[in-house]
Amino acid sequence: MVIETHLSTEESSRYDNVDRCVSPFAVKNKRMADRCEISTRRAYRLVVMITLLLTGCATVKVTGQRVLGAVPTAPPSVIYVSDFTFSAVGVSAERGILPISLVNEAASESSIVFSRIFGIQINRGARERELANLMATSLIEDLRNLGLTAYRFGPRDQLPAGSWLLQGTFVQVDEGNRLERALIGFGQGATELDVVASLSDIRGDYPRPFCEVSTIAHSRRQAGAIMSLNPFDAVGRFMLGGLDLDKNVMETGSKLAATIAHRIEFRDCALDS
């Protein structure tokens, strides 16, 4: 899967005036906005992280890397994370949940996550927005934890020269079948998340892609609750299974952040050994 690197007329106009001397006040305001945005989603991320501790990590791996252009020799001054887009297929809706939908597209993320835990269907638009936000905030926090400066890229933001832009596409998003995962397990009803991300260097009038990374993640292939004949175990697995795809997103973000840190350290775009 290849990310289209050509920019439309409208997209190109966003990068025509690359700000080579960003005001310190603009940088400070951007930092404060990002901190506020991330803090508002920490409750949601905390729930997912607790689930990670209870059920273990998802399976995620890099499936390919490709050179798109000359790899910069200088490290980035800042990495801007753009919201990941979805392919034409979008999100394959979760199966094995209650046939009711009480959550609309304007619902808050906190109400969405708890609705999913109890098996209530979520509007597709709201779910895509939730996943895009989770990927962006996860990437930013993981990059910062690795000692890199990272901010979320908004439609009105300017890209300073010497920065990098991280873009991506959710190629396949399959929420699987939660009942099969909870009761049968062993890979039945597994989630799947395929992502393609690209790094671009800001040295001219617009981003110049130089590296592409592909990843795949899916839920754990563990035994289902039917083996234990414990109804409480089945209910617990069913509820926690509502966050399996969210775990895929967070684990993918961590893998991409580590891959980017490796690119910066070794100045290449070769597949990690």
mmCIF file of all heavy atoms in Angstrom, residues 174-215:
data_model
loop_
_atom_site.group_PDB
_atom_site.id
_atom_site.type_symbol
_atom_site.label_atom_id
_atom_site.label_comp_id
_atom_site.label_asym_id
_atom_site.label_seq_id
_atom_site.Cartn_x
_atom_site.Cartn_y
_atom_site.Cartn_z
ATOM 1 N N ASP A 174 -10.642 -3.397 11.274
ATOM 2 C CA ASP A 174 -11.669 -4.428 11.480
ATOM 3 C C ASP A 174 -11.843 -4.646 12.977
ATOM 4 O O ASP A 174 -10.917 -5.081 13.666
ATOM 5 C CB ASP A 174 -11.252 -5.732 10.799
ATOM 6 C CG ASP A 174 -12.368 -6.768 10.796
ATOM 7 O OD1 ASP A 174 -13.376 -6.557 11.504
ATOM 8 O OD2 ASP A 174 -12.241 -7.785 10.085
ATOM 9 N N GLU A 175 -13.032 -4.337 13.484
ATOM 10 C CA GLU A 175 -13.294 -4.482 14.910
ATOM 11 C C GLU A 175 -13.578 -5.923 15.318
ATOM 12 O O GLU A 175 -13.665 -6.215 16.514
ATOM 13 C CB GLU A 175 -14.458 -3.580 15.319
ATOM 14 C CG GLU A 175 -14.130 -2.103 15.199
ATOM 15 C CD GLU A 175 -15.149 -1.224 15.887
ATOM 16 O OE1 GLU A 175 -16.306 -1.212 15.439
ATOM 17 O OE2 GLU A 175 -14.793 -0.553 16.868
ATOM 18 N N GLY A 176 -13.714 -6.828 14.356
ATOM 19 C CA GLY A 176 -13.869 -8.242 14.659
ATOM 20 C C GLY A 176 -15.187 -8.583 15.323
ATOM 21 O O GLY A 176 -16.158 -7.836 15.272
ATOM 22 N N ASN A 177 -15.215 -9.739 15.964
ATOM 23 C CA ASN A 177 -16.409 -10.231 16.646
ATOM 24 C C ASN A 177 -16.080 -10.433 18.123
ATOM 25 O O ASN A 177 -15.343 -11.342 18.492
ATOM 26 C CB ASN A 177 -16.875 -11.550 16.015
ATOM 27 C CG ASN A 177 -18.228 -12.006 16.552
ATOM 28 O OD1 ASN A 177 -18.456 -12.025 17.752
ATOM 29 N ND2 ASN A 177 -19.124 -12.353 15.639
ATOM 30 N N ARG A 178 -16.631 -9.582 18.961
ATOM 31 C CA ARG A 178 -16.272 -9.590 20.375
ATOM 32 C C ARG A 178 -16.736 -10.856 21.093
ATOM 33 O O ARG A 178 -16.036 -11.379 21.969
ATOM 34 C CB ARG A 178 -16.857 -8.370 21.072
ATOM 35 C CG ARG A 178 -16.227 -8.117 22.441
ATOM 36 C CD ARG A 178 -17.028 -7.183 23.302
ATOM 37 N NE ARG A 178 -17.292 -5.900 22.672
ATOM 38 C CZ ARG A 178 -17.800 -4.855 23.336
ATOM 39 N NH1 ARG A 178 -18.059 -4.974 24.627
ATOM 40 N NH2 ARG A 178 -18.053 -3.731 22.716
ATOM 41 N N LEU A 179 -17.911 -11.365 20.730
ATOM 42 C CA LEU A 179 -18.407 -12.583 21.359
ATOM 43 C C LEU A 179 -17.491 -13.772 21.076
ATOM 44 O O LEU A 179 -17.209 -14.587 21.967
ATOM 45 C CB LEU A 179 -19.825 -12.889 20.870
ATOM 46 C CG LEU A 179 -20.973 -12.191 21.610
ATOM 47 C CD1 LEU A 179 -22.303 -12.553 20.967
ATOM 48 C CD2 LEU A 179 -20.965 -12.535 23.084
ATOM 49 N N GLU A 180 -17.014 -13.869 19.829
ATOM 50 C CA GLU A 180 -16.112 -14.971 19.474
ATOM 51 C C GLU A 180 -14.787 -14.844 20.215
ATOM 52 O O GLU A 180 -14.235 -15.850 20.675
ATOM 53 C CB GLU A 180 -15.882 -15.005 17.964
ATOM 54 C CG GLU A 180 -17.107 -15.424 17.167
ATOM 55 C CD GLU A 180 -16.812 -15.522 15.689
ATOM 56 O OE1 GLU A 180 -15.658 -15.227 15.293
ATOM 57 O OE2 GLU A 180 -17.717 -15.890 14.924
ATOM 58 N N ARG A 181 -14.279 -13.627 20.339
ATOM 59 C CA ARG A 181 -13.028 -13.430 21.075
ATOM 60 C C ARG A 181 -13.198 -13.808 22.541
ATOM 61 O O ARG A 181 -12.317 -14.422 23.148
ATOM 62 C CB ARG A 181 -12.555 -11.972 20.981
ATOM 63 C CG ARG A 181 -12.123 -11.545 19.615
ATOM 64 C CD ARG A 181 -11.268 -10.281 19.662
ATOM 65 N NE ARG A 181 -11.906 -9.149 20.308
ATOM 66 C CZ ARG A 181 -12.741 -8.306 19.699
ATOM 67 N NH1 ARG A 181 -13.036 -8.491 18.428
ATOM 68 N NH2 ARG A 181 -13.264 -7.280 20.345
ATOM 69 N N ALA A 182 -14.325 -13.395 23.125
ATOM 70 C CA ALA A 182 -14.550 -13.630 24.552
ATOM 71 C C ALA A 182 -14.801 -15.103 24.856
ATOM 72 O O ALA A 182 -14.280 -15.641 25.837
ATOM 73 C CB ALA A 182 -15.721 -12.787 25.039
ATOM 74 N N LEU A 183 -15.585 -15.777 24.019
ATOM 75 C CA LEU A 183 -15.983 -17.145 24.325
ATOM 76 C C LEU A 183 -15.044 -18.197 23.740
ATOM 77 O O LEU A 183 -14.674 -19.155 24.419
ATOM 78 C CB LEU A 183 -17.411 -17.395 23.821
ATOM 79 C CG LEU A 183 -18.509 -16.542 24.479
ATOM 80 C CD1 LEU A 183 -19.858 -16.864 23.862
ATOM 81 C CD2 LEU A 183 -18.535 -16.761 25.986
ATOM 82 N N ILE A 184 -14.662 -18.028 22.462
ATOM 83 C CA ILE A 184 -13.858 -19.039 21.772
ATOM 84 C C ILE A 184 -12.373 -18.716 21.827
ATOM 85 O O ILE A 184 -11.553 -19.545 22.236
ATOM 86 C CB ILE A 184 -14.317 -19.184 20.302
ATOM 87 C CG1 ILE A 184 -15.817 -19.500 20.247
ATOM 88 C CG2 ILE A 184 -13.502 -20.263 19.597
ATOM 89 C CD1 ILE A 184 -16.389 -19.505 18.846
ATOM 90 N N GLY A 185 -12.014 -17.512 21.420
ATOM 91 C CA GLY A 185 -10.609 -17.111 21.426
ATOM 92 C C GLY A 185 -9.800 -17.800 20.351
ATOM 93 O O GLY A 185 -10.320 -18.189 19.304
ATOM 94 N N PHE A 186 -8.495 -17.938 20.586
ATOM 95 C CA PHE A 186 -7.561 -18.572 19.647
ATOM 96 C C PHE A 186 -7.599 -17.911 18.267
ATOM 97 O O PHE A 186 -7.473 -18.567 17.236
ATOM 98 C CB PHE A 186 -7.848 -20.073 19.513
ATOM 99 C CG PHE A 186 -7.718 -20.837 20.794
ATOM 100 C CD1 PHE A 186 -8.840 -21.330 21.441
ATOM 101 C CD2 PHE A 186 -6.468 -21.031 21.368
ATOM 102 C CE1 PHE A 186 -8.720 -22.023 22.641
ATOM 103 C CE2 PHE A 186 -6.340 -21.737 22.567
ATOM 104 C CZ PHE A 186 -7.466 -22.229 23.201
ATOM 105 N N GLY A 187 -7.805 -16.594 18.233
ATOM 106 C CA GLY A 187 -7.802 -15.863 16.972
ATOM 107 C C GLY A 187 -9.162 -15.695 16.337
ATOM 108 O O GLY A 187 -9.303 -14.952 15.357
ATOM 109 N N GLN A 188 -10.185 -16.370 16.856
ATOM 110 C CA GLN A 188 -11.534 -16.221 16.308
ATOM 111 C C GLN A 188 -12.082 -14.833 16.634
ATOM 112 O O GLN A 188 -12.020 -14.383 17.773
ATOM 113 C CB GLN A 188 -12.461 -17.297 16.883
ATOM 114 C CG GLN A 188 -12.112 -18.705 16.475
ATOM 115 C CD GLN A 188 -12.266 -18.912 14.984
ATOM 116 O OE1 GLN A 188 -13.260 -18.502 14.384
ATOM 117 N NE2 GLN A 188 -11.283 -19.554 14.378
ATOM 118 N N GLY A 189 -12.630 -14.172 15.625
ATOM 119 C CA GLY A 189 -13.204 -12.842 15.825
ATOM 120 C C GLY A 189 -12.183 -11.771 16.140
ATOM 121 O O GLY A 189 -12.521 -10.735 16.722
ATOM 122 N N ALA A 190 -10.919 -11.979 15.753
ATOM 123 C CA ALA A 190 -9.845 -11.043 16.108
ATOM 124 C C ALA A 190 -10.012 -9.694 15.420
ATOM 125 O O ALA A 190 -10.574 -9.594 14.322
ATOM 126 C CB ALA A 190 -8.485 -11.646 15.733
ATOM 127 N N THR A 191 -9.524 -8.660 16.080
ATOM 128 C CA THR A 191 -9.454 -7.346 15.453
ATOM 129 C C THR A 191 -8.235 -7.299 14.537
ATOM 130 O O THR A 191 -7.312 -8.107 14.665
ATOM 131 C CB THR A 191 -9.302 -6.243 16.510
ATOM 132 O OG1 THR A 191 -8.060 -6.449 17.231
ATOM 133 C CG2 THR A 191 -10.452 -6.259 17.489
ATOM 134 N N GLU A 192 -8.242 -6.348 13.614
ATOM 135 C CA GLU A 192 -7.077 -6.139 12.755
ATOM 136 C C GLU A 192 -6.963 -4.663 12.413
ATOM 137 O O GLU A 192 -7.958 -4.012 12.082
ATOM 138 C CB GLU A 192 -7.161 -6.963 11.472
ATOM 139 C CG GLU A 192 -5.930 -6.790 10.582
ATOM 140 C CD GLU A 192 -5.916 -7.709 9.373
ATOM 141 O OE1 GLU A 192 -6.632 -8.729 9.396
ATOM 142 O OE2 GLU A 192 -5.193 -7.405 8.395
ATOM 143 N N LEU A 193 -5.732 -4.159 12.493
ATOM 144 C CA LEU A 193 -5.467 -2.754 12.180
ATOM 145 C C LEU A 193 -4.226 -2.670 11.294
ATOM 146 O O LEU A 193 -3.127 -3.001 11.727
ATOM 147 C CB LEU A 193 -5.238 -1.953 13.467
ATOM 148 C CG LEU A 193 -4.920 -0.469 13.285
ATOM 149 C CD1 LEU A 193 -6.162 0.287 12.807
ATOM 150 C CD2 LEU A 193 -4.407 0.146 14.582
ATOM 151 N N ASP A 194 -4.423 -2.252 10.047
ATOM 152 C CA ASP A 194 -3.320 -2.055 9.103
ATOM 153 C C ASP A 194 -3.128 -0.554 8.888
ATOM 154 O O ASP A 194 -4.087 0.156 8.558
ATOM 155 C CB ASP A 194 -3.614 -2.722 7.756
ATOM 156 C CG ASP A 194 -3.725 -4.233 7.871
ATOM 157 O OD1 ASP A 194 -3.487 -4.756 8.972
ATOM 158 O OD2 ASP A 194 -4.061 -4.884 6.865
ATOM 159 N N VAL A 195 -1.902 -0.105 9.074
ATOM 160 C CA VAL A 195 -1.595 1.326 8.972
ATOM 161 C C VAL A 195 -0.396 1.543 8.063
ATOM 162 O O VAL A 195 0.556 0.761 8.078
ATOM 163 C CB VAL A 195 -1.301 1.920 10.368
ATOM 164 C CG1 VAL A 195 -0.717 3.321 10.257
ATOM 165 C CG2 VAL A 195 -2.562 1.946 11.213
ATOM 166 N N VAL A 196 -0.450 2.583 7.258
ATOM 167 C CA VAL A 196 0.698 3.030 6.464
ATOM 168 C C VAL A 196 0.964 4.490 6.834
ATOM 169 O O VAL A 196 0.060 5.325 6.759
ATOM 170 C CB VAL A 196 0.443 2.912 4.953
ATOM 171 C CG1 VAL A 196 1.630 3.457 4.175
ATOM 172 C CG2 VAL A 196 0.184 1.469 4.565
ATOM 173 N N ALA A 197 2.178 4.786 7.278
ATOM 174 C CA ALA A 197 2.553 6.144 7.684
ATOM 175 C C ALA A 197 3.751 6.617 6.878
ATOM 176 O O ALA A 197 4.580 5.801 6.448
ATOM 177 C CB ALA A 197 2.877 6.183 9.177
ATOM 178 N N SER A 198 3.833 7.910 6.673
ATOM 179 C CA SER A 198 4.962 8.480 5.941
ATOM 180 C C SER A 198 5.534 9.676 6.688
ATOM 181 O O SER A 198 4.803 10.422 7.350
ATOM 182 C CB SER A 198 4.540 8.909 4.528
ATOM 183 O OG SER A 198 3.648 10.002 4.582
ATOM 184 N N LEU A 199 6.850 9.834 6.563
ATOM 185 C CA LEU A 199 7.567 10.977 7.138
ATOM 186 C C LEU A 199 7.970 11.917 6.013
ATOM 187 O O LEU A 199 8.472 11.467 4.971
ATOM 188 C CB LEU A 199 8.806 10.509 7.887
ATOM 189 C CG LEU A 199 8.610 9.960 9.297
ATOM 190 C CD1 LEU A 199 9.908 9.327 9.784
ATOM 191 C CD2 LEU A 199 8.155 11.054 10.256
ATOM 192 N N SER A 200 7.753 13.213 6.232
ATOM 193 C CA SER A 200 8.131 14.219 5.250
ATOM 194 C C SER A 200 9.023 15.266 5.898
ATOM 195 O O SER A 200 8.816 15.643 7.060
ATOM 196 C CB SER A 200 6.893 14.905 4.660
ATOM 197 O OG SER A 200 6.049 13.962 4.023
ATOM 198 N N ASP A 201 9.997 15.727 5.134
ATOM 199 C CA ASP A 201 10.930 16.749 5.607
ATOM 200 C C ASP A 201 10.493 18.108 5.084
ATOM 201 O O ASP A 201 10.143 18.247 3.905
ATOM 202 C CB ASP A 201 12.340 16.401 5.112
ATOM 203 C CG ASP A 201 13.378 17.384 5.618
ATOM 204 O OD1 ASP A 201 13.224 17.872 6.749
ATOM 205 O OD2 ASP A 201 14.360 17.650 4.883
ATOM 206 N N ILE A 202 10.498 19.114 5.950
ATOM 207 C CA ILE A 202 10.103 20.465 5.537
ATOM 208 C C ILE A 202 11.368 21.270 5.279
ATOM 209 O O ILE A 202 11.974 21.828 6.191
ATOM 210 C CB ILE A 202 9.235 21.148 6.615
ATOM 211 C CG1 ILE A 202 8.135 20.211 7.086
ATOM 212 C CG2 ILE A 202 8.649 22.444 6.075
ATOM 213 C CD1 ILE A 202 7.210 19.724 5.996
ATOM 214 N N ARG A 203 11.783 21.284 4.036
ATOM 215 C CA ARG A 203 12.987 22.038 3.662
ATOM 216 C C ARG A 203 12.707 23.053 2.562
ATOM 217 O O ARG A 203 13.500 23.935 2.312
ATOM 218 C CB ARG A 203 14.073 21.074 3.169
ATOM 219 C CG ARG A 203 14.566 20.102 4.228
ATOM 220 C CD ARG A 203 15.374 20.775 5.308
ATOM 221 N NE ARG A 203 15.730 19.857 6.381
ATOM 222 C CZ ARG A 203 16.378 20.204 7.477
ATOM 223 N NH1 ARG A 203 16.729 21.464 7.652
ATOM 224 N NH2 ARG A 203 16.651 19.313 8.411
ATOM 225 N N GLY A 204 11.598 22.904 1.878
ATOM 226 C CA GLY A 204 11.249 23.830 0.807
ATOM 227 C C GLY A 204 9.889 24.441 1.048
ATOM 228 O O GLY A 204 9.541 24.821 2.155
ATOM 229 N N ASP A 205 9.092 24.485 -0.012
ATOM 230 C CA ASP A 205 7.783 25.114 0.089
ATOM 231 C C ASP A 205 6.699 24.168 0.599
ATOM 232 O O ASP A 205 5.632 24.624 0.989
ATOM 233 C CB ASP A 205 7.363 25.663 -1.282
ATOM 234 C CG ASP A 205 8.267 26.801 -1.732
ATOM 235 O OD1 ASP A 205 8.837 27.456 -0.847
ATOM 236 O OD2 ASP A 205 8.390 27.022 -2.945
ATOM 237 N N TYR A 206 6.945 22.878 0.555
ATOM 238 C CA TYR A 206 5.944 21.922 1.018
ATOM 239 C C TYR A 206 6.636 20.640 1.475
ATOM 240 O O TYR A 206 7.817 20.432 1.196
ATOM 241 C CB TYR A 206 4.917 21.622 -0.077
ATOM 242 C CG TYR A 206 5.518 21.232 -1.401
ATOM 243 C CD1 TYR A 206 5.877 19.903 -1.667
ATOM 244 C CD2 TYR A 206 5.728 22.169 -2.404
ATOM 245 C CE1 TYR A 206 6.429 19.536 -2.875
ATOM 246 C CE2 TYR A 206 6.286 21.807 -3.614
ATOM 247 C CZ TYR A 206 6.616 20.490 -3.846
ATOM 248 O OH TYR A 206 7.170 20.137 -5.045
ATOM 249 N N PRO A 207 5.911 19.753 2.175
ATOM 250 C CA PRO A 207 6.542 18.535 2.688
ATOM 251 C C PRO A 207 7.085 17.644 1.573
ATOM 252 O O PRO A 207 6.436 17.447 0.547
ATOM 253 C CB PRO A 207 5.387 17.841 3.428
ATOM 254 C CG PRO A 207 4.432 18.922 3.752
ATOM 255 C CD PRO A 207 4.514 19.892 2.616
ATOM 256 N N ARG A 208 8.281 17.088 1.809
ATOM 257 C CA ARG A 208 8.899 16.171 0.863
ATOM 258 C C ARG A 208 9.028 14.802 1.536
ATOM 259 O O ARG A 208 9.890 14.609 2.379
ATOM 260 C CB ARG A 208 10.269 16.696 0.427
ATOM 261 C CG ARG A 208 10.206 18.063 -0.245
ATOM 262 C CD ARG A 208 11.578 18.573 -0.641
ATOM 263 N NE ARG A 208 11.504 19.912 -1.183
ATOM 264 C CZ ARG A 208 11.233 20.215 -2.455
ATOM 265 N NH1 ARG A 208 11.015 19.221 -3.300
ATOM 266 N NH2 ARG A 208 11.186 21.464 -2.863
ATOM 267 N N PRO A 209 8.151 13.840 1.168
ATOM 268 C CA PRO A 209 8.185 12.510 1.803
ATOM 269 C C PRO A 209 9.522 11.818 1.562
ATOM 270 O O PRO A 209 10.073 11.883 0.463
ATOM 271 C CB PRO A 209 7.042 11.758 1.117
ATOM 272 C CG PRO A 209 6.157 12.832 0.558
ATOM 273 C CD PRO A 209 7.074 13.949 0.179
ATOM 274 N N PHE A 210 10.036 11.149 2.593
ATOM 275 C CA PHE A 210 11.301 10.433 2.437
ATOM 276 C C PHE A 210 11.254 9.007 2.996
ATOM 277 O O PHE A 210 12.147 8.211 2.717
ATOM 278 C CB PHE A 210 12.452 11.213 3.082
ATOM 279 C CG PHE A 210 12.347 11.382 4.569
ATOM 280 C CD1 PHE A 210 12.832 10.411 5.444
ATOM 281 C CD2 PHE A 210 11.777 12.526 5.101
ATOM 282 C CE1 PHE A 210 12.740 10.573 6.811
ATOM 283 C CE2 PHE A 210 11.676 12.702 6.471
ATOM 284 C CZ PHE A 210 12.158 11.720 7.339
ATOM 285 N N CYS A 211 10.238 8.673 3.774
ATOM 286 C CA CYS A 211 10.195 7.330 4.354
ATOM 287 C C CYS A 211 8.750 6.904 4.593
ATOM 288 O O CYS A 211 7.922 7.713 5.028
ATOM 289 C CB CYS A 211 10.975 7.298 5.667
ATOM 290 S SG CYS A 211 11.165 5.644 6.372
ATOM 291 N N GLU A 212 8.471 5.636 4.290
ATOM 292 C CA GLU A 212 7.140 5.082 4.499
ATOM 293 C C GLU A 212 7.242 3.820 5.350
ATOM 294 O O GLU A 212 8.130 2.992 5.148
ATOM 295 C CB GLU A 212 6.500 4.753 3.150
ATOM 296 C CG GLU A 212 5.105 4.178 3.239
ATOM 297 C CD GLU A 212 4.577 3.807 1.864
ATOM 298 O OE1 GLU A 212 3.964 4.682 1.222
ATOM 299 O OE2 GLU A 212 4.797 2.655 1.423
ATOM 300 N N VAL A 213 6.334 3.690 6.304
ATOM 301 C CA VAL A 213 6.337 2.548 7.226
ATOM 302 C C VAL A 213 4.956 1.918 7.241
ATOM 303 O O VAL A 213 3.941 2.624 7.334
ATOM 304 C CB VAL A 213 6.726 2.973 8.659
ATOM 305 C CG1 VAL A 213 6.772 1.762 9.574
ATOM 306 C CG2 VAL A 213 8.057 3.700 8.668
ATOM 307 N N SER A 214 4.906 0.588 7.160
ATOM 308 C CA SER A 214 3.644 -0.149 7.220
ATOM 309 C C SER A 214 3.637 -1.028 8.460
ATOM 310 O O SER A 214 4.647 -1.658 8.785
ATOM 311 C CB SER A 214 3.461 -1.023 5.977
ATOM 312 O OG SER A 214 3.536 -0.254 4.795
ATOM 313 N N THR A 215 2.503 -1.084 9.149
ATOM 314 C CA THR A 215 2.379 -1.927 10.341
ATOM 315 C C THR A 215 1.069 -2.697 10.296
ATOM 316 O O THR A 215 0.124 -2.325 9.593
ATOM 317 C CB THR A 215 2.410 -1.095 11.641
ATOM 318 O OG1 THR A 215 1.249 -0.243 11.674
ATOM 319 C CG2 THR A 215 3.668 -0.250 11.725
#
